[in-house]
Amino acid sequence: MAVEQDPHTKQNTTGHEWDGIKELDTPVPKILTWSYILTLFFGILYWVLYPAFPGVSNFTRGLFDYSSRSAVMNDVAVASKTKETNEAELLSKDLTDLAQDASIKHKYMNSAAILYKDNCSVCHGPDLKGQTNFPNLADHHWLWSGDLSEIETTIKYGINSGHDEERTAEMLGFGTSEALTFNEINQVTQYVLSLSGKTTNDALAKKGQSIFNEQCASCHGEKGEGGLEVGAPSLTDKSWIYGGSQQAIKDTITKGRKGVMPAWEHRLSPFDIRKLTLFLKWKQDDARAQ
């Protein structure tokens, strides 16, 4: 067959033609040729140095006797050792001392924030400020006090959670139980509003005070300051879990409340619960400093 030359590229053709398009007999570029050679060399070298071929009951080990399983188990062992050290560091020390240690905050703040986001923010909000029916964790109004050990206990065992060590808190529905009449509930509502400095009907509030002293003071305190032992909130501040409007307060008195917080003892490790406890304290301190 006579060799034909392409008039445009001056390259010889192979003599093959498809629909008027002729194939050139251009040599493979040298860079590709060397790439093929180097790839082949690398493959042979890899077969010699590392595990490569399966056998009936085992595989070729290679000169380096490398095992990805061993490498992973090594990393797991190192991580476990680090975790044990970190857990001992948090669990063996006093919470107050840990909260005041800047190095501890620097070390655990980010991981604690992720814990909070994954487990708590759906109820208490990403900014810790809560939402209707869920308390604000960014202020200083705590049902069982803001003591760190008390916060840790609440996280562990929950509130009305069904855990053997749960916190128990329930407000009677004075309307549904018929403990108070409609008019008496209106009077108590006015008095409760006055405790937090809101505008009220003074005549009704005065009547409501005596009812409050008889029915409510045993839990909320004589002046509505709250009862930390029973988880009864203060009525004198501006922090309201179920809303502080006149209608919301009336609904609470009429129907009662029984909020639920799950127990995290069997969902999170003691180490993670302690980190969450410290996180809440650090966020409060940061908010106060702003």
Side-chain angles (χ1 to χ4, degrees), residues 171-213:
M171 177 173 166
L172 171 69
F174 287 89
T176 53
S177 67
E178 299 182 352
L180 295 178
T181 66
F182 178 79
N183 288 335
E184 288 173 328
I185 289 174
N186 282 336
Q187 293 163 6
V188 175
T189 299
Q190 292 299 311
Y191 179 67
V192 171
L193 285 169
S194 72
L195 290 174
S196 57
K198 295 188 177 182
T199 303
T200 62
N201 182 312
D202 292 339
L204 291 179
K206 187 173 182 179
K207 293 179 180 179
Q209 182 175 5
S210 60
I211 301 172
F212 180 91
N213 290 337

Side-chain angles (χ1 to χ4, degrees), residues 42-101:
F42 175 79
I44 294 172
L45 183 64
Y46 196 94
W47 291 341
V48 173
L49 298 179
Y50 291 94
F53 294 104
V56 176
S57 60
N58 213 319
F59 53 89
T60 56
R61 297 283 179 175
L63 296 180
F64 286 169
D65 195 27
Y66 172 79
S67 168
S68 58
R69 179 183 293 274
S70 298
V72 169
M73 295 307 295
N74 227 14
D75 291 343
V76 169
V78 171
S80 297
K81 186 66 178 175
T82 301
K83 185 179 179 184
E84 287 176 12
T85 302
N86 290 342
E87 287 184 354
E89 179 180 46
L90 286 196
L91 297 177
S92 64
K93 295 182 180 180
D94 180 74
L95 271 167
T96 302
D97 293 338
L98 289 168
Q100 295 172 351
D101 190 330

Side-chain angles (χ1 to χ4, degrees), residues 4-226:
E4 182 182 3
Q5 192 176 71
D6 178 65
H8 301 290
T9 62
K10 307 305 181 184
Q11 292 285 339
N12 292 337
T13 70
T14 62
H16 301 152
E17 181 179 337
W18 294 270
D19 296 331
I21 301 174
K22 295 182 178 180
E23 180 183 18
L24 300 182
D25 192 17
T26 307
V28 175
K30 289 185 178 180
I31 187 171
L32 290 181
T33 302
W34 280 107
S35 295
Y36 297 150
I37 294 171
L38 290 174
T39 300
L40 180 62
F41 175 77
F42 175 79
I44 294 172
L45 183 64
Y46 196 94
W47 291 341
V48 173
L49 298 179
Y50 291 94
F53 294 104
V56 176
S57 60
N58 213 319
F59 53 89
T60 56
R61 297 283 179 175
L63 296 180
F64 286 169
D65 195 27
Y66 172 79
S67 168
S68 58
R69 179 183 293 274
S70 298
V72 169
M73 295 307 295
N74 227 14
D75 291 343
V76 169
V78 171
S80 297
K81 186 66 178 175
T82 301
K83 185 179 179 184
E84 287 176 12
T85 302
N86 290 342
E87 287 184 354
E89 179 180 46
L90 286 196
L91 297 177
S92 64
K93 295 182 180 180
D94 180 74
L95 271 167
T96 302
D97 293 338
L98 289 168
Q100 295 172 351
D101 190 330
S103 65
I104 293 292
K105 180 179 179 180
H106 177 76
K107 186 174 183 179
Y108 294 108
M109 185 63 163
N110 288 339
S111 60
I114 293 172
L115 268 175
Y116 175 86
K117 180 181 178 182
D118 290 347
N119 298 284
C120 314
S121 64
V122 66
C123 292
H124 296 288
D127 56 0
L128 284 77
K129 292 184 178 179
Q131 53 186 315
T132 302
N133 301 333
F134 300 99
N136 184 343
L137 303 179
D139 58 23
H140 306 289
H141 308 291
W142 295 87
L143 297 182
W144 282 273
S145 88
D147 181 80
L148 286 169
S149 63
E150 295 292 341
I151 295 172
E152 185 176 42
T153 297
T154 301
I155 296 173
K156 273 185 183 179
Y157 306 131
I159 303 169
N160 301 322
S161 63
H163 191 285
D164 291 341
E165 302 294 330
E166 68 180 359
R167 302 278 204 195
T168 302
E170 181 175 3
M171 177 173 166
L172 171 69
F174 287 89
T176 53
S177 67
E178 299 182 352
L180 295 178
T181 66
F182 178 79
N183 288 335
E184 288 173 328
I185 289 174
N186 282 336
Q187 293 163 6
V188 175
T189 299
Q190 292 299 311
Y191 179 67
V192 171
L193 285 169
S194 72
L195 290 174
S196 57
K198 295 188 177 182
T199 303
T200 62
N201 182 312
D202 292 339
L204 291 179
K206 187 173 182 179
K207 293 179 180 179
Q209 182 175 5
S210 60
I211 301 172
F212 180 91
N213 290 337
E214 292 175 5
Q215 301 286 348
C216 314
S218 59
C219 290
H220 292 285
E222 293 181 2
K223 297 180 181 180
E225 68 275 13

Side-chain angles (χ1 to χ4, degrees), residues 243-273:
S245 68
Q246 178 173 314
Q247 187 59 52
I249 293 172
K250 185 185 293 186
D251 288 344
T252 296
I253 297 171
T254 302
K255 302 174 185 177
R257 300 293 184 184
K258 187 177 180 180
V260 175
M261 173 179 165
W264 293 95
E265 184 183 37
H266 301 304
R267 307 182 189 203
L268 298 176
S269 69
F271 175 57
D272 286 339
I273 289 174

